Amino acid sequence: MYLPLAEPRSSVFYQYRIHPYRRAPEMDGGRSNAPVVIAGAGPIGMATAIDLARFGVPTIVLEQELQVSHGSRATALTRRSVEILQQIGVAERFIAKGLPWQLGRSYFRGQEVYQMVLPHDENDRFLPCLNLEQQYMEEYLVEACEANPLIDLRWGQKVIGASQDNAGVTLRLDTPDGEYDLIVDWVVAADGGRSVLRKIFDLQMEGRSYAGSFVIADIKANIDLPTERLCFFEPDWNPGSNVLIHRQPDGIWRVDFRLPDNETVAQALEPQQLAPRINAVLEMLHQKTEWQLDWTAVYSASTLTLPNYVHGRVLFTGDAAHLLPIFGVRGANTGLQDANNLAWKLAFVVQGWSDRALLESYSDERVEAAREICAEGGRSTRFMTPPSKGFRLMRDAALSFALSEDFLKDLLHWRTSRPHNYLTSHLNSFPEADRAFSGGIACGGPVRNVKLGEGDFLLDRVDAGVGFHLIAFAGDRRADEDLVRILDQAGRMEFPVVRVAVGARAAEIAADQAELAITDSWERVAAIYDAAPGTIYLLRPDLHVCARWRATNADEVTQALRNAAMTQQRLQP
């Protein structure tokens, strides 16, 4: 009998809530109609459930604890992550509470050697990064799950066994009422870096783990500094190492520093060892203030990924699928892109719109993304924590030159997480039409936001629709006649297609053949998308481009839709 912790965790700023355990109906002969179980109620698991619910897919979300996780953990969300949260309808609370930023500063031996200014312009609704403790992330997602009738969030459910066949998956769960079996069609393994399901199915990751450990400490302190990412190489109090500092809401500051190689984790977390180091950090920041410790942890950097995220009817995502170094805020941000990619594909399979082969594209695309991130993360990790004397010699030489020379300063860029471009995806179509563009968004790229008016952006409107998005640029009467035929046929697909008309005459077309018309600031949209009258963009449900044309016809658009959805079914009458 599994008995989860039933006392709220202690915190100097956050009020933990104990969520009630409910006896599962399957323990009394009942059965859920949910075709998907998600193991793990972290940010990635819950985001997957909310995204699946947008497509009408019920889920059961299992969490072995009775409360949200302890500590800041995934504290920095990138702009692309916030855009995904907006798409699934939960971004508002994140934005209201989080601290946005775009500047990072690096120091070497007390002197500033580099400013990392992350790209941002007026067409970006959100700043490049948003700092928010993971407790709040999970709290807001829990509220969204509990408010959604398609999501059954079950607390106090520990996965202890699993088996599968061609028909489905059987999970063995342990609870305060004892054990029971849960039989479903699909399981999403979002159970974190120590994934139980990964161990049960004896799956091995590929890649590398790096020597050296880092301490994370969340402290509450009145520190008068802006919201920037700060990195100190070779501080006087910790020679041979570095320190990372992030400001968070509620007066919480995240401090990361490397342990000396001869020090154990237990020694590092002892109060008499930790307190002087935090005091040294505050002295380095010229901040003489009292502080309270909220949470500590120790981590090591890894660049590891499963070679395949689809194992029969068990689909791996987030840290269960890959382990990435925190340098560059890669963990949760990569996981949210996993979730956004997986959810629409699993929904299309569950709803019968697509063949199961569509799920293999999830694995192909996200494994490629993880390997790219592992390569970049490995470079960042070797710079932050050199694995050998040779690496340290080169790193310190680069830092020394950066004190006076500009040409080496880009080596100090921490290669922040960014949206992956699915340039080689099999879901892309008509490459020759794609190459006809000199600008805009190439096939595989994520959608680009555009400012339409004061406080109004393209994604604010587009995110209201669920499914593929067909963006048609109107303006020429002859071209508009073709657009009407294209939009009409796209609207009769068996899966959802949101039709968007853009242009001065877009409202006329939208009256019968489009769900959305953009007539204001349409010139800005056309300029950023390198579009003219007759241009068509086809976006996947995760808002990556999968086809585009200067001019086309209804049959080509239908072919591209079927290719991206991996279906050959007929149009609806």
Side-chain angles (χ1 to χ4, degrees):
M1 181 180 295
Y2 170 63
L3 297 175
L5 178 66
E7 295 295 324
R9 296 186 173 107
S10 61
S11 174
V12 300
F13 78 100
Y14 185 79
Q15 187 68 46
Y16 282 92
R17 169 190 169 195
I18 296 298
H19 295 273
Y21 159 79
R22 292 181 290 105
R23 182 179 175 89
E26 291 81 4
M27 301 185 80
D28 300 312
R31 178 161 183 170
S32 169
N33 64 349
V36 179
V37 161
I38 298 173
I44 311 311
M46 288 189 285
T48 304
I50 295 166
D51 212 346
L52 282 166
R54 295 193 311 131
F55 293 92
V57 177
T59 58
I60 299 171
V61 181
L62 305 174
E63 173 54 49
Q64 68 178 35
E65 303 296 339
L66 299 176
Q67 54 194 314
V68 300
S69 64
H70 200 190
S72 62
R73 301 180 184 271
T75 189
L77 294 171
T78 62
R79 175 165 46 228
R80 181 57 184 151
S81 292
V82 179
E83 289 175 348
I84 290 171
L85 294 172
Q86 180 185 27
Q87 186 188 16
I88 65 175
V90 298
E92 188 173 330
R93 300 275 315 269
F94 287 76
I95 297 165
K97 184 70 177 180
L99 301 177
W101 59 277
Q102 71 174 121
L103 178 65
R105 300 179 188 270
S106 295
Y107 297 81
F108 178 52
R109 294 175 181 167
Q111 182 175 335
E112 184 173 326
V113 293
Y114 182 65
Q115 284 192 16
M116 177 190 66
V117 182
L118 298 176
H120 178 76
D121 65 40
E122 64 176 351
N123 290 303
D124 292 314
R125 194 191 198 291
F126 310 114
L127 279 173
C129 281
L130 183 77
N131 281 359
L132 182 66
E133 299 95 335
Q134 186 163 326
Q135 296 102 316
Y136 288 115
M137 297 184 197
E138 294 187 13
E139 174 188 326
Y140 303 155
L141 291 169
V142 166
E143 290 176 358
C145 287
E146 290 179 337
N148 195 309
L150 293 179
I151 300 174
D152 179 4
L153 179 50
R154 300 184 183 182
W155 301 90
Q157 312 271 325
K158 183 177 182 180
V159 177
I160 59 173
S163 61
Q164 64 173 314
D165 55 28
N166 290 334
V169 185
T170 301
L171 294 178
R172 187 69 175 173
L173 303 175
D174 197 2
T175 76
D177 284 330
E179 298 179 10
Y180 74 100
D181 287 335
L182 182 59
I183 303 172
V184 291
D185 297 336
W186 300 94
V187 169
V188 175
D191 52 343
R194 299 177 180 177
S195 171
V196 172
L197 285 166
R198 194 174 63 225
K199 294 175 183 177
I200 288 173
F201 290 103
D202 194 27
L203 301 177
Q204 304 301 314
M205 288 185 163
E206 301 174 348
R208 176 177 180 179
S209 295
Y210 290 84
S213 297
F214 278 76
V215 169
I216 304 174
D218 286 349
I219 63 170
K220 185 174 178 62
N222 184 20
I223 297 175
D224 184 21
L225 290 173
T227 306
E228 299 172 348
R229 178 263 198 187
L230 302 176
C231 178
F232 295 84
F233 293 96
E234 297 281 343
D236 292 340
W237 67 272
N238 196 12
S241 187
N242 48 57
V243 182
L244 296 171
I245 299 169
H246 276 284
R247 181 186 174 201
Q248 302 177 82
D250 296 333
I252 300 298
W253 292 79
R254 162 91 163 254
V255 179
D256 301 51
F257 58 86
R258 186 178 174 178
L259 296 184
D261 291 334
N262 60 352
E263 189 169 295
T264 67
V265 171
Q267 290 171 335
L269 297 183
E270 289 177 355
Q272 64 269 26
Q273 193 82 299
L274 189 59
R277 288 170 172 166
I278 292 176
N279 287 329
V281 170
L282 295 175
E283 184 178 346
M284 179 181 66
L285 296 174
H286 306 292
Q287 300 287 324
K288 293 184 178 181
T289 184
E290 298 295 321
W291 56 272
Q292 295 173 278
L293 182 66
D294 185 72
W295 171 76
T296 59
V298 174
Y299 69 90
S300 298
S302 297
T303 50
L304 299 168
T305 180
L306 289 173
N308 193 326
Y309 296 169
V310 177
H311 292 270
R313 290 179 171 269
V314 182
L315 316 167
F316 288 81
T317 192
D319 285 353
H322 44 67
L323 293 174
L324 307 171
I326 68 164
F327 312 119
V329 295
R330 294 182 170 88
N333 293 296
T334 301
L336 284 170
Q337 291 182 53
D338 291 344
N340 200 219
N341 187 302
L342 172 60
W344 78 266
K345 295 174 180 178
L346 181 54
F348 271 51
V349 172
V350 169
Q351 297 288 22
W353 299 327
S354 297
D355 187 83
R356 282 180 58 175
L358 183 62
L359 294 173
E360 295 299 333
S361 76
Y362 159 69
S363 180
D364 293 342
E365 291 176 355
R366 295 313 299 165
V367 169
E368 179 183 72
R371 285 174 173 159
E372 178 183 282
I373 294 164
C374 283
E376 290 190 349
R379 289 192 289 271
S380 297
T381 300
R382 290 190 292 273
F383 196 88
M384 296 295 292
T385 174
S388 67
K389 290 182 179 179
F391 271 105
R392 177 169 293 280
L393 181 64
M394 290 188 291
R395 195 280 302 273
D396 290 350
L399 287 168
S400 296
F401 274 115
L403 290 171
S404 58
E405 306 294 335
D406 290 336
F407 73 97
L408 281 174
K409 290 190 175 184
D410 279 347
L411 291 176
L412 277 63
H413 196 293
W414 54 315
R415 300 180 181 89
T416 184
S417 171
R418 64 178 187 276
H420 187 70
N421 288 320
Y422 303 126
L423 300 178
T424 61
S425 173
H426 296 305
L427 305 190
N428 298 338
S429 298
F430 296 98
E432 67 286 351
D434 182 39
R435 288 191 291 268
F437 289 78
S438 58
I441 307 168
C443 282
V447 69
R448 180 72 170 91
N449 213 350
V450 183
K451 185 176 182 180
L452 301 178
E454 191 61 36
D456 184 23
F457 291 80
L458 178 64
L459 291 186
D460 297 344
R461 304 189 194 182
V462 169
D463 282 341
V466 177
F468 283 87
H469 283 69
L470 187 66
I471 303 179
F473 289 84
D476 177 87
R477 290 196 175 274
R478 174 173 290 184
D480 289 354
E481 293 176 2
D482 293 332
L483 292 183
V484 168
R485 286 189 287 269
I486 291 169
L487 293 168
D488 174 65
Q489 188 155 309
R492 293 188 288 117
M493 302 299 292
E494 65 278 4
F495 48 81
V497 179
V498 180
R499 297 165 296 173
V500 183
V502 180
R505 297 183 59 246
E508 300 174 33
I509 295 175
D512 296 317
Q513 299 297 344
E515 286 74 30
L516 176 63
I518 296 176
T519 57
D520 53 327
S521 302
W522 64 267
E523 300 97 332
R524 295 171 61 87
V525 182
I528 289 174
Y529 281 68
D530 188 23
T535 296
I536 293 279
Y537 269 80
L538 180 60
L539 310 180
R540 302 163 10 159
D542 57 359
L543 301 185
H544 282 254
V545 177
C546 58
R548 61 177 179 165
W549 301 264
R550 286 292 186 196
T552 187
N553 57 62
D555 288 343
E556 284 190 345
V557 172
T558 299
Q559 183 180 340
L561 280 164
R562 286 176 172 164
N563 179 69
M566 287 196 173
T567 178
Q568 294 300 319
Q569 296 183 39
R570 297 180 179 179
L571 300 174
Q572 297 291 342

mmCIF file of all heavy atoms in Angstrom, residues 11 13-14 16 68-73 132-140 218 248 294-295:
data_model
loop_
_atom_site.group_PDB
_atom_site.id
_atom_site.type_symbol
_atom_site.label_atom_id
_atom_site.label_comp_id
_atom_site.label_asym_id
_atom_site.label_seq_id
_atom_site.Cartn_x
_atom_site.Cartn_y
_atom_site.Cartn_z
ATOM 1 N N SER A 11 7.837 26.032 3.032
ATOM 2 C CA SER A 11 8.363 27.034 2.110
ATOM 3 C C SER A 11 8.275 28.395 2.779
ATOM 4 O O SER A 11 7.371 28.653 3.571
ATOM 5 C CB SER A 11 7.566 27.040 0.799
ATOM 6 O OG SER A 11 7.972 28.100 -0.045
ATOM 7 N N PHE A 13 7.820 31.087 1.018
ATOM 8 C CA PHE A 13 7.024 31.988 0.174
ATOM 9 C C PHE A 13 5.814 31.321 -0.455
ATOM 10 O O PHE A 13 4.876 32.011 -0.865
ATOM 11 C CB PHE A 13 7.898 32.563 -0.952
ATOM 12 C CG PHE A 13 8.140 31.601 -2.086
ATOM 13 C CD1 PHE A 13 7.398 31.684 -3.263
ATOM 14 C CD2 PHE A 13 9.095 30.597 -1.981
ATOM 15 C CE1 PHE A 13 7.606 30.812 -4.314
ATOM 16 C CE2 PHE A 13 9.312 29.721 -3.022
ATOM 17 C CZ PHE A 13 8.565 29.816 -4.192
ATOM 18 N N TYR A 14 5.798 29.986 -0.531
ATOM 19 C CA TYR A 14 4.738 29.311 -1.280
ATOM 20 C C TYR A 14 3.892 28.464 -0.335
ATOM 21 O O TYR A 14 4.424 27.732 0.513
ATOM 22 C CB TYR A 14 5.335 28.416 -2.373
ATOM 23 C CG TYR A 14 4.288 27.775 -3.264
ATOM 24 C CD1 TYR A 14 3.690 28.495 -4.290
ATOM 25 C CD2 TYR A 14 3.874 26.463 -3.045
ATOM 26 C CE1 TYR A 14 2.714 27.928 -5.096
ATOM 27 C CE2 TYR A 14 2.899 25.885 -3.849
ATOM 28 C CZ TYR A 14 2.326 26.623 -4.864
ATOM 29 O OH TYR A 14 1.353 26.059 -5.654
ATOM 30 N N TYR A 16 1.838 25.395 0.003
ATOM 31 C CA TYR A 16 1.537 24.119 -0.645
ATOM 32 C C TYR A 16 0.137 23.640 -0.259
ATOM 33 O O TYR A 16 -0.305 23.833 0.878
ATOM 34 C CB TYR A 16 2.569 23.054 -0.271
ATOM 35 C CG TYR A 16 3.871 23.201 -1.023
ATOM 36 C CD1 TYR A 16 4.916 23.953 -0.490
ATOM 37 C CD2 TYR A 16 4.036 22.606 -2.266
ATOM 38 C CE1 TYR A 16 6.104 24.108 -1.182
ATOM 39 C CE2 TYR A 16 5.223 22.747 -2.956
ATOM 40 C CZ TYR A 16 6.251 23.496 -2.413
ATOM 41 O OH TYR A 16 7.424 23.656 -3.121
ATOM 42 N N VAL A 68 2.153 19.750 -5.538
ATOM 43 C CA VAL A 68 3.049 20.097 -6.633
ATOM 44 C C VAL A 68 4.493 19.947 -6.167
ATOM 45 O O VAL A 68 4.773 19.797 -4.986
ATOM 46 C CB VAL A 68 2.774 21.522 -7.154
ATOM 47 C CG1 VAL A 68 1.351 21.634 -7.674
ATOM 48 C CG2 VAL A 68 3.045 22.570 -6.067
ATOM 49 N N SER A 69 5.419 20.014 -7.122
ATOM 50 C CA SER A 69 6.815 19.695 -6.829
ATOM 51 C C SER A 69 7.476 20.754 -5.955
ATOM 52 O O SER A 69 6.990 21.883 -5.823
ATOM 53 C CB SER A 69 7.599 19.509 -8.131
ATOM 54 O OG SER A 69 7.638 20.716 -8.847
ATOM 55 N N HIS A 70 8.604 20.376 -5.404
ATOM 56 C CA HIS A 70 9.315 21.202 -4.445
ATOM 57 C C HIS A 70 10.434 21.951 -5.160
ATOM 58 O O HIS A 70 11.262 21.357 -5.840
ATOM 59 C CB HIS A 70 9.901 20.312 -3.341
ATOM 60 C CG HIS A 70 10.235 21.044 -2.090
ATOM 61 N ND1 HIS A 70 10.947 20.482 -1.059
ATOM 62 C CD2 HIS A 70 9.949 22.308 -1.682
ATOM 63 C CE1 HIS A 70 11.082 21.356 -0.077
ATOM 64 N NE2 HIS A 70 10.486 22.468 -0.430
ATOM 65 N N GLY A 71 10.478 23.268 -5.024
ATOM 66 C CA GLY A 71 11.593 24.034 -5.541
ATOM 67 C C GLY A 71 11.340 24.662 -6.894
ATOM 68 O O GLY A 71 10.416 24.297 -7.620
ATOM 69 N N SER A 72 12.203 25.620 -7.261
ATOM 70 C CA SER A 72 12.016 26.390 -8.492
ATOM 71 C C SER A 72 12.210 25.549 -9.742
ATOM 72 O O SER A 72 11.544 25.750 -10.747
ATOM 73 C CB SER A 72 12.986 27.572 -8.507
ATOM 74 O OG SER A 72 14.327 27.116 -8.491
ATOM 75 N N ARG A 73 13.142 24.622 -9.732
ATOM 76 C CA ARG A 73 13.381 23.676 -10.834
ATOM 77 C C ARG A 73 13.400 24.376 -12.186
ATOM 78 O O ARG A 73 14.315 25.111 -12.490
ATOM 79 C CB ARG A 73 12.356 22.543 -10.773
ATOM 80 C CG ARG A 73 12.407 21.756 -9.454
ATOM 81 C CD ARG A 73 11.410 20.634 -9.393
ATOM 82 N NE ARG A 73 11.440 20.002 -8.095
ATOM 83 C CZ ARG A 73 12.224 18.976 -7.753
ATOM 84 N NH1 ARG A 73 13.037 18.463 -8.646
ATOM 85 N NH2 ARG A 73 12.183 18.465 -6.542
ATOM 86 N N LEU A 132 9.697 32.073 -13.578
ATOM 87 C CA LEU A 132 8.579 31.692 -12.714
ATOM 88 C C LEU A 132 8.907 30.359 -12.066
ATOM 89 O O LEU A 132 9.288 29.397 -12.750
ATOM 90 C CB LEU A 132 7.289 31.577 -13.535
ATOM 91 C CG LEU A 132 6.014 31.238 -12.754
ATOM 92 C CD1 LEU A 132 5.648 32.380 -11.806
ATOM 93 C CD2 LEU A 132 4.863 30.954 -13.715
ATOM 94 N N GLU A 133 8.763 30.288 -10.747
ATOM 95 C CA GLU A 133 9.064 29.037 -10.054
ATOM 96 C C GLU A 133 8.128 27.918 -10.521
ATOM 97 O O GLU A 133 6.958 28.144 -10.824
ATOM 98 C CB GLU A 133 8.920 29.219 -8.541
ATOM 99 C CG GLU A 133 9.862 30.247 -7.941
ATOM 100 C CD GLU A 133 9.257 31.625 -7.808
ATOM 101 O OE1 GLU A 133 8.327 31.933 -8.572
ATOM 102 O OE2 GLU A 133 9.708 32.411 -6.946
ATOM 103 N N GLN A 134 8.649 26.682 -10.531
ATOM 104 C CA GLN A 134 7.860 25.567 -11.044
ATOM 105 C C GLN A 134 6.627 25.299 -10.193
ATOM 106 O O GLN A 134 5.623 24.782 -10.695
ATOM 107 C CB GLN A 134 8.720 24.295 -11.153
ATOM 108 C CG GLN A 134 7.977 23.147 -11.819
ATOM 109 C CD GLN A 134 8.900 22.044 -12.296
ATOM 110 O OE1 GLN A 134 10.016 22.297 -12.722
ATOM 111 N NE2 GLN A 134 8.438 20.796 -12.211
ATOM 112 N N GLN A 135 6.666 25.634 -8.900
ATOM 113 C CA GLN A 135 5.455 25.458 -8.084
ATOM 114 C C GLN A 135 4.260 26.188 -8.709
ATOM 115 O O GLN A 135 3.158 25.639 -8.782
ATOM 116 C CB GLN A 135 5.671 25.998 -6.660
ATOM 117 C CG GLN A 135 6.733 25.244 -5.862
ATOM 118 C CD GLN A 135 8.020 26.023 -5.820
ATOM 119 O OE1 GLN A 135 8.454 26.561 -6.825
ATOM 120 N NE2 GLN A 135 8.646 26.076 -4.644
ATOM 121 N N TYR A 136 4.491 27.423 -9.145
ATOM 122 C CA TYR A 136 3.404 28.190 -9.753
ATOM 123 C C TYR A 136 3.009 27.605 -11.107
ATOM 124 O O TYR A 136 1.824 27.552 -11.444
ATOM 125 C CB TYR A 136 3.805 29.656 -9.905
ATOM 126 C CG TYR A 136 3.861 30.407 -8.601
ATOM 127 C CD1 TYR A 136 5.077 30.910 -8.132
ATOM 128 C CD2 TYR A 136 2.723 30.624 -7.837
ATOM 129 C CE1 TYR A 136 5.146 31.614 -6.933
ATOM 130 C CE2 TYR A 136 2.781 31.318 -6.646
ATOM 131 C CZ TYR A 136 3.996 31.815 -6.191
ATOM 132 O OH TYR A 136 4.050 32.503 -5.004
ATOM 133 N N MET A 137 4.005 27.197 -11.891
ATOM 134 C CA MET A 137 3.684 26.576 -13.180
ATOM 135 C C MET A 137 2.724 25.407 -12.980
ATOM 136 O O MET A 137 1.702 25.292 -13.663
ATOM 137 C CB MET A 137 4.955 26.074 -13.866
ATOM 138 C CG MET A 137 5.962 27.122 -14.244
ATOM 139 S SD MET A 137 7.343 26.362 -15.145
ATOM 140 C CE MET A 137 8.580 27.650 -15.023
ATOM 141 N N GLU A 138 3.058 24.537 -12.054
ATOM 142 C CA GLU A 138 2.225 23.357 -11.824
ATOM 143 C C GLU A 138 0.877 23.746 -11.227
ATOM 144 O O GLU A 138 -0.156 23.171 -11.587
ATOM 145 C CB GLU A 138 2.972 22.366 -10.937
ATOM 146 C CG GLU A 138 4.201 21.772 -11.617
ATOM 147 C CD GLU A 138 4.857 20.669 -10.809
ATOM 148 O OE1 GLU A 138 4.236 20.186 -9.836
ATOM 149 O OE2 GLU A 138 5.997 20.290 -11.141
ATOM 150 N N GLU A 139 0.866 24.708 -10.322
ATOM 151 C CA GLU A 139 -0.402 25.151 -9.728
ATOM 152 C C GLU A 139 -1.377 25.626 -10.806
ATOM 153 O O GLU A 139 -2.561 25.242 -10.814
ATOM 154 C CB GLU A 139 -0.139 26.280 -8.740
ATOM 155 C CG GLU A 139 -1.404 26.913 -8.160
ATOM 156 C CD GLU A 139 -1.112 28.152 -7.333
ATOM 157 O OE1 GLU A 139 -0.050 28.207 -6.674
ATOM 158 O OE2 GLU A 139 -1.939 29.085 -7.364
ATOM 159 N N TYR A 140 -0.895 26.437 -11.732
ATOM 160 C CA TYR A 140 -1.777 26.981 -12.773
ATOM 161 C C TYR A 140 -2.250 25.884 -13.720
ATOM 162 O O TYR A 140 -3.409 25.893 -14.170
ATOM 163 C CB TYR A 140 -1.059 28.079 -13.555
ATOM 164 C CG TYR A 140 -0.562 29.224 -12.696
ATOM 165 C CD1 TYR A 140 0.512 30.015 -13.106
ATOM 166 C CD2 TYR A 140 -1.160 29.525 -11.466
ATOM 167 C CE1 TYR A 140 0.971 31.065 -12.320
ATOM 168 C CE2 TYR A 140 -0.704 30.559 -10.680
ATOM 169 C CZ TYR A 140 0.374 31.327 -11.105
ATOM 170 O OH TYR A 140 0.822 32.360 -10.318
ATOM 171 N N ASP A 218 17.421 28.124 -3.562
ATOM 172 C CA ASP A 218 16.417 29.192 -3.643
ATOM 173 C C ASP A 218 16.424 29.933 -2.314
ATOM 174 O O ASP A 218 16.196 29.322 -1.264
ATOM 175 C CB ASP A 218 15.022 28.620 -3.883
ATOM 176 C CG ASP A 218 14.813 28.131 -5.304
ATOM 177 O OD1 ASP A 218 15.666 28.408 -6.163
ATOM 178 O OD2 ASP A 218 13.793 27.463 -5.554
ATOM 179 N N GLN A 248 13.471 35.691 -9.290
ATOM 180 C CA GLN A 248 12.176 35.066 -9.463
ATOM 181 C C GLN A 248 11.112 35.865 -8.703
ATOM 182 O O GLN A 248 11.450 36.729 -7.897
ATOM 183 C CB GLN A 248 12.211 33.620 -8.947
ATOM 184 C CG GLN A 248 13.264 32.753 -9.630
ATOM 185 C CD GLN A 248 13.310 31.374 -9.039
ATOM 186 O OE1 GLN A 248 12.519 30.511 -9.390
ATOM 187 N NE2 GLN A 248 14.233 31.144 -8.119
ATOM 188 N N ASP A 294 14.933 28.543 1.095
ATOM 189 C CA ASP A 294 13.663 27.879 0.808
ATOM 190 C C ASP A 294 13.857 26.446 0.360
ATOM 191 O O ASP A 294 13.116 25.560 0.775
ATOM 192 C CB ASP A 294 12.891 28.649 -0.270
ATOM 193 C CG ASP A 294 11.512 28.061 -0.502
ATOM 194 O OD1 ASP A 294 10.653 28.228 0.387
ATOM 195 O OD2 ASP A 294 11.292 27.410 -1.543
ATOM 196 N N TRP A 295 14.830 26.204 -0.511
ATOM 197 C CA TRP A 295 14.963 24.871 -1.114
ATOM 198 C C TRP A 295 16.365 24.716 -1.669
ATOM 199 O O TRP A 295 16.976 25.674 -2.139
ATOM 200 C CB TRP A 295 13.937 24.715 -2.232
ATOM 201 C CG TRP A 295 14.079 23.494 -3.093
ATOM 202 C CD1 TRP A 295 13.740 22.217 -2.775
ATOM 203 C CD2 TRP A 295 14.581 23.445 -4.445
ATOM 204 N NE1 TRP A 295 14.000 21.372 -3.843
ATOM 205 C CE2 TRP A 295 14.508 22.105 -4.870
ATOM 206 C CE3 TRP A 295 15.081 24.405 -5.323
ATOM 207 C CZ2 TRP A 295 14.925 21.696 -6.155
ATOM 208 C CZ3 TRP A 295 15.488 24.002 -6.600
ATOM 209 C CH2 TRP A 295 15.406 22.665 -6.991
#
